[in-house]
């Protein structure tokens, strides 16, 4: 089936929107456990594509081990981030030192990848070889990955003890610690889980975005938009915000094209934040003064 | 004050060290190695050309030294990896001029870096050869020491325009570039050139090279009635996505433009090999196979000599040939004029039809663009073999 204009907007927009949503969830998971906005989220997405290509194409490993090694690698990066960029600044959250520390780690990841991997986009393997045209797997794999992640998080947070513990730490980490919850270990686990979800975004979107070091900065930027639109810590908001962003961005590409598409995206972003500063799905918190 | 034997010995040794470093230095420099500075982006962004030039430079230095050097003096290539970063390029330039004291500098290889280093080299009157394409880098009045040993962007532009209008005989073109400074400038120059020659530019745009789907831009170009797409970008990912989007639209419009369209990276990123058909990229006669699959005799002779010594699988032949030419040309100039900067600049200013491997170079006091325009031709992007391309269809 040939690409029609509407079809192209929808399939590419939804696919990219799903990737943005997953990066938004990555931001949220790290934030919920630590109250830190870690700017390594986009780099985890980039690493998902690069490691996937490294294991599957360059090292020639089968698909399943490549996938699992990619997830494990990004989980390790998530944990390392917690140790070296988050934990040391937790005592001074009000000084926002985490902006510098997490950005520094993000830059290190980017530079090492550029030197050791390539600064040019590299091929990403065809995963299953399913579909063609607008039904090509490159378009629906990110959407499927996003749906599975949302379902898994819902199940974990509603049905499992560890999920409830995550929620408790997210709600009030001092109270959670007072109740005997291993807050530090839960925070490490959260960063590992965020690494896995970031990796999944890059791996599922690899056929569309390729294994490219510049994806890190791109995803950091566009992955933050659904978080701001949907409300900080709101995974459902991030999914809706991400999908809306993807479709709007692709529609803007068709209507105005080139650099103007990015301008259009950020005009809408600013307008939404002016109208609802807490995000579309966020809630304002009372603060005692 | 008393001086112990130990202090006397240390003091004497120190004085001897200072004397040998400072006083005997110039004498050693006169008879020691000839230092040539090489500023290349060998890692990081846009390092592919630097790696290609590096292979040619090292091969040629080894060849010259193996043949006894220049009047018995060996050439020493002093290499600094600039990583495509203008700041690093400026620091390395200052080190080459003030500390290493090289006879001449080749590079940088990226225009962004050269824009920063060229005025510094001009102030130091340092002889400089470089392959950067940005037109403003060559100005014999402002930079009498800088010589371009490759085509300028205007020459690329002329070749692309000539191919579209005279060989493909089309009148409606779309001109696109990426959003970098180079992409924007090159697109603007190209549009102006086509309009000057009476062609109709039906679409022009700067495209974000990282956008995953190029279908929107391809559709707009198709709807505008473009008969050829002229693309100015160094991004291989953007090129591959454009070709994939063209296939998705079942549109057989030709692409003509920047050498990156023919990079081996593109071949690994396209969905299927046929997507790379009808793509014609800037190339050179010295690096083009004719209809019988033969390279020019001079190039073939070099390849036979260098077989097994230079890896040409993942690079472009012209980068390697240009690197070889740089060393041989500098060796010739130093042999004639010595290592003093003014002498070398005078030599280059009087160079006429110097027979290099990459091309025949001619410079004068008023013209420091040394590469002949008629050597710039278009090649079939998907025909790369040992870094050389087949001539694009239409050339005699």
């Amino acid at each position: 089936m040939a690409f029609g204009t509407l079809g192209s907007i929808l399939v590419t927009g939804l696919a990219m929107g799903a990737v943005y949503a997953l990066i938004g969830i990555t931001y949220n998971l790290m934030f919920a456990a630590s109250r830190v906005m870690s700017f390594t989220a986009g780099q985890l997405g980039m690493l998902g594509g690069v490691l996937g290509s490294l294991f599957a194409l360059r090292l020639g490993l089968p698909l399943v081990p490549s996938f699992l090694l990619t997830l494990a690698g990004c989980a390790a990066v998530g944990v390392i981030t917690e140790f070296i960029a988050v934990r040391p600044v937790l005592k001074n959250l009000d000084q926002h030192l985490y902006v510098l520390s997490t950005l520094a780690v993000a830059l290190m990841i980017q530079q090492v990848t550029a030197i050791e991997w390539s600064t040019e986009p590299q091929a990403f393997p065809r995963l299953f070889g399913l579909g063609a045209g607008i039904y090509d797997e490159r378009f629906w794999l990110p959407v499927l990955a996003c749906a599975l992640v949302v379902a898994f998080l819902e199940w974990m947070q509603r049905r499992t003890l560890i999920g409830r513990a995550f929620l408790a730490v997210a709600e009030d980490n001092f109270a959670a610690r007072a109740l005997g919850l291993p807050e530090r270990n839960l925070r490490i686990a959260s960063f590992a889980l965020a690494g896995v979800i970031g990796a999944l975004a890059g791996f599922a979107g690899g056929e569309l975005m390729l294994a490219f070091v510049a994806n890190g900065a791109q995803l950091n930027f566009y992955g933050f938009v659904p978080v701001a639109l949907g409300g900080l810590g709101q995974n459902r908001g991030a999914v809706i915000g991400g999908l809306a962003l993807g479709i709007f961005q692709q529609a803007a590409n068709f209507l105005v094209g080139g650099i103007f598409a990015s301008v259009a995206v950020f005009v809408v972003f600013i307008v939404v934040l002016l109208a609802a500063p807490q995000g579309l799905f966020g809630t304002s918190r009372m603060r005692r003064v | 004050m008393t001086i112990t034997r130990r202090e006397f010995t240390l003091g004497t040794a120190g004085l001897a060290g200072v004397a040998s470093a400072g006083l005997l230095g110039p004498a050693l420099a006169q008879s020691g190695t000839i230092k040539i500075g090489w500023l290349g982006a060998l890692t990081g962004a846009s390092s592919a050309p630097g790696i290609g030039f590096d292979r040619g430079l090292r091969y040629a230095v080894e060849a010259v030294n193996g043949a006894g050097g220049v009047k018995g003096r060996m050439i020493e290539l002093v290499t600094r990896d600039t990583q495509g970063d203008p700041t690093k390029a400026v620091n390395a330039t200052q080190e080459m001029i003030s500390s290493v004291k090289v006879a001449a500098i080749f590079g940088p290889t990226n225009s962004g870096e050269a824009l920063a280093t060229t005025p510094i080299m001009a102030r130091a009157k340092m002889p400089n050869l470089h392959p950067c394409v940005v037109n403003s880098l060559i100005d014999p009045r402002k930079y009498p020491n800088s010589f371009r040993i490759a085509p300028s962007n205007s020459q690329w532009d002329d070749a692309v325009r000539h191919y579209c209008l005279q060989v493909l005989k089309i009148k409606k073109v779309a001109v696109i570039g990426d959003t970098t400074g180079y992409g924007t400038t090159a697109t603007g120059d190209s549009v102006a050139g086509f309009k000057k020659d009476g062609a109709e530019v039906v679409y022009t745009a700067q495209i974000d090279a990282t956008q995953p789907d190029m279908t929107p831009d391809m559709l707009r170009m198709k709807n505008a009635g473009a008969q050829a797409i002229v693309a100015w970008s160094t991004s291989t990912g953007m090129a591959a996505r454009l070709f994939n989007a063209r296939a998705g639209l079942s549109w057989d419009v030709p692409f003509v433009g920047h050498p990156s369209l023919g990079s081996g990276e593109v071949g690994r990123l396209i969905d299927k090999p046929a997507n790379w058909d009808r793509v014609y990229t800037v190339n050179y006669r010295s690096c083009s196979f004719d209809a019988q699959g033969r390279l020019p005799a001079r190039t073939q002779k070099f390849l036979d000599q260098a077989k097994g010594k230079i890896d040409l699988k993942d690079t472009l032949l012209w980068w390697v040939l240009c690197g070889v030419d740089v060393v041989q040309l500098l060796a010739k100039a130093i042999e004639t004029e010595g290592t003093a900067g003014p002498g070398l600049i005078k030599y280059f200013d009087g160079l006429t039809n110097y027979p290099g491997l990459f091309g025949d170079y001619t410079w004068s006091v008023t013209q420091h663009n040394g590469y002949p325009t008629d050597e710039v031709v278009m090649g079939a992007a998907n025909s790369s073999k040992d870094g050389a391309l087949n001539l694009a269809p239409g050339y005699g």
Side-chain angles (χ1 to χ4, degrees):
Chain A
M1 179 177 172
F3 274 73
T5 306
L6 187 63
S8 182
I9 290 174
L10 278 178
V11 293
T12 313
L14 283 174
M16 286 309 299
V19 173
Y20 297 150
L22 285 170
I23 298 298
I25 292 172
T26 306
Y27 268 116
N28 277 341
L29 278 175
M30 292 192 278
F31 177 79
S34 63
R35 298 287 144 194
V36 162
M37 282 300 297
S38 174
F39 293 100
T40 53
Q43 303 299 343
L44 289 166
M46 176 272 288
L47 281 179
V50 166
L51 292 179
S53 177
L54 170 72
F55 293 129
L57 282 185
R58 207 170 276 187
L59 301 180
L61 298 179
L63 180 60
V64 173
S66 299
F67 177 63
L68 294 177
L69 283 170
T70 301
L71 298 190
C74 288
V77 172
V79 172
I80 291 168
T81 304
E82 197 279 334
F83 271 90
I84 65 173
V86 174
R87 191 174 296 187
V89 299
L90 281 179
K91 284 181 185 163
N92 303 97
L93 274 181
D94 54 330
Q95 292 177 19
H96 306 292
L97 293 174
Y98 59 82
V99 175
L100 276 180
S101 61
T102 59
L103 264 180
V105 172
L107 281 175
M108 278 194 270
I109 293 170
Q110 187 168 310
Q111 290 299 317
V112 170
T113 309
I115 291 167
E116 296 298 327
W117 175 249
S118 172
T119 51
E120 297 295 325
Q122 301 292 310
F124 190 85
R126 187 109 174 111
L127 295 177
F128 303 108
L130 297 174
I134 61 170
Y135 303 111
D136 194 289
E137 66 182 25
R138 78 180 66 188
F139 298 118
W140 54 260
L141 272 177
V143 180
L144 178 67
C146 184
L148 289 175
V149 164
V150 170
F152 169 76
L153 289 177
E154 286 288 321
W155 169 79
M156 188 183 76
Q157 287 170 352
R158 286 168 190 267
R159 302 289 171 91
T160 68
L161 193 59
I162 192 169
R164 288 178 185 146
F166 275 138
L167 284 179
V169 171
E171 191 63 31
D172 188 334
N173 59 350
F174 291 106
R177 210 181 315 165
L179 285 171
L181 286 173
E183 180 250 355
R184 183 179 292 178
N185 289 345
L186 285 169
R187 197 172 59 235
I188 294 171
S190 267
F191 272 76
L193 183 59
V196 166
I197 291 173
L200 196 57
F203 198 90
E207 289 184 59
L208 201 58
M209 303 173 65
L210 304 173
F212 187 21
V213 67
N215 287 344
Q218 186 94 344
L219 290 176
N220 252 357
F221 211 50
Y222 286 115
F224 183 75
V225 175
V227 175
L229 287 179
L232 205 51
Q234 299 290 326
N235 285 342
R236 286 176 218 172
V239 172
I240 293 168
L243 294 177
L245 170 66
I247 292 172
F248 181 77
Q249 187 184 37
Q250 190 64 3
N253 267 341
F254 269 95
L255 294 173
V256 290
I259 46 175
F260 299 108
S262 304
V263 175
V265 166
F266 283 97
V267 166
V268 171
F269 173 59
I270 290 165
V271 168
V272 170
L273 285 190
L274 283 174
Q278 73 283 3
L280 294 173
F281 301 92
T283 49
S284 309
R285 285 195 173 195
M286 299 287 283
R287 188 161 66 97
R288 188 174 291 166
V289 290
Chain B
M1 189 178 106
T2 55
I3 299 173
T4 64
R5 190 183 297 165
R6 177 178 292 179
E7 284 166 338
F8 177 78
T9 309
L10 284 172
T12 313
L15 276 174
V18 170
S20 62
L23 301 177
L24 300 180
L28 283 175
Q30 292 295 320
S31 58
T33 57
I34 299 164
K35 290 177 178 168
I36 295 176
W38 159 218
L39 300 175
L42 300 174
T43 57
S46 313
S47 59
I51 291 166
F53 288 121
D54 192 63
R55 288 178 192 169
L57 290 164
R58 287 183 189 286
Y59 173 84
V61 166
E62 208 169 289
V64 170
N65 288 344
V70 182
K71 289 186 173 174
R73 294 170 68 188
M74 299 293 115
I75 292 179
E76 181 188 346
L77 200 62
V78 181
T79 307
R80 293 292 178 270
D81 180 5
T82 62
Q83 300 181 327
D85 179 350
T87 309
K88 288 191 174 75
V90 164
N91 291 341
T93 301
Q94 281 164 339
E95 184 202 355
M96 297 262 186
I97 293 168
S98 311
S99 175
V100 184
K101 297 189 190 305
V102 296
I105 295 177
F106 173 58
T109 52
N110 293 341
S111 294
E113 296 171 287
L115 285 167
T117 58
T118 299
I120 297 169
M121 292 194 210
R123 274 199 297 278
K125 299 184 173 60
M126 171 60 68
N128 174 221
L129 305 179
H130 70 72
C132 303
V133 295
V134 165
N135 297 333
S136 64
L137 285 169
I138 290 299
D139 182 341
R141 278 189 306 155
K142 276 166 72 181
Y143 314 125
N145 60 311
S146 282
F147 298 83
R148 182 159 17 223
I149 193 162
S152 67
N153 206 63
S154 295
Q155 288 173 293
W156 280 3
D157 215 20
D158 291 344
V160 165
R161 211 165 56 247
H162 174 268
Y163 189 70
C164 288
L165 303 181
Q166 309 302 325
V167 179
L168 294 178
K169 309 272 185 206
I170 54 167
K171 290 291 175 197
K172 292 181 176 179
V173 293
V175 184
I176 56 173
D178 58 33
T179 52
T180 62
Y182 170 73
T184 310
T185 310
T187 304
D189 291 346
S190 185
V191 167
F194 273 107
K195 285 182 177 169
K196 179 172 67 71
D197 284 1
E200 190 183 346
V201 180
V202 294
Y203 181 85
T204 181
Q206 306 308 135
I207 296 175
D208 178 359
T210 58
Q211 86 187 37
D213 182 14
M214 299 290 170
T215 309
D217 290 283
M218 290 300 294
L219 267 178
R220 273 199 294 274
M221 287 186 263
K222 191 178 184 187
N223 293 339
Q227 296 166 317
I229 297 172
V230 175
W232 296 107
S233 170
T234 56
S235 168
T236 50
M238 174 173 151
R241 283 163 167 153
L242 283 165
F243 305 153
N244 289 338
R246 177 181 67 168
L249 294 171
S250 306
W251 188 25
D252 67 346
V253 66
F255 274 91
V256 188
H258 192 275
S260 290
L261 300 182
S263 163
E265 299 285 349
V266 175
R268 287 188 277 275
L269 296 176
I270 47 175
D271 288 342
K272 51 182 188 250
N275 292 3
W276 212 5
D277 289 344
R278 286 174 66 75
V279 178
Y280 309 116
T281 164
V282 169
N283 195 40
Y284 310 97
R285 285 201 184 273
S286 58
C287 307
S288 296
F289 295 103
D290 63 15
Q292 284 74 44
R294 290 175 310 210
L295 286 167
R298 210 188 289 174
T299 309
Q300 189 57 55
K301 188 178 166 197
F302 168 78
L303 287 182
D304 292 341
Q305 287 169 350
K307 196 170 183 183
K309 295 175 185 165
I310 303 181
D311 184 6
L312 294 168
K313 291 273 184 295
D314 60 347
T315 191
L316 294 181
L317 182 57
W318 82 264
W319 293 333
V320 175
L321 296 186
C322 185
V324 174
D325 284 350
V326 165
V327 173
Q328 290 183 340
L329 183 53
L330 282 170
K332 189 92 180 157
I334 291 167
E335 191 177 12
T336 311
E337 298 285 345
T339 53
L344 293 178
I345 292 169
K346 187 180 137 212
Y347 179 87
F348 295 142
D349 274 337
L351 200 74
T352 306
N353 286 327
Y354 172 85
L357 289 167
F358 175 41
D360 291 355
Y361 309 103
T362 299
W363 288 306
S364 68
V365 176
T366 54
Q367 180 54 273
H368 285 192
N369 284 306
Y371 196 82
T373 300
D374 57 4
E375 284 283 303
V376 188
V377 292
M378 305 308 294
N382 58 357
S383 64
S384 177
K385 187 182 155 204
D386 287 340
L389 302 177
N390 292 342
L391 269 176
Y395 285 104

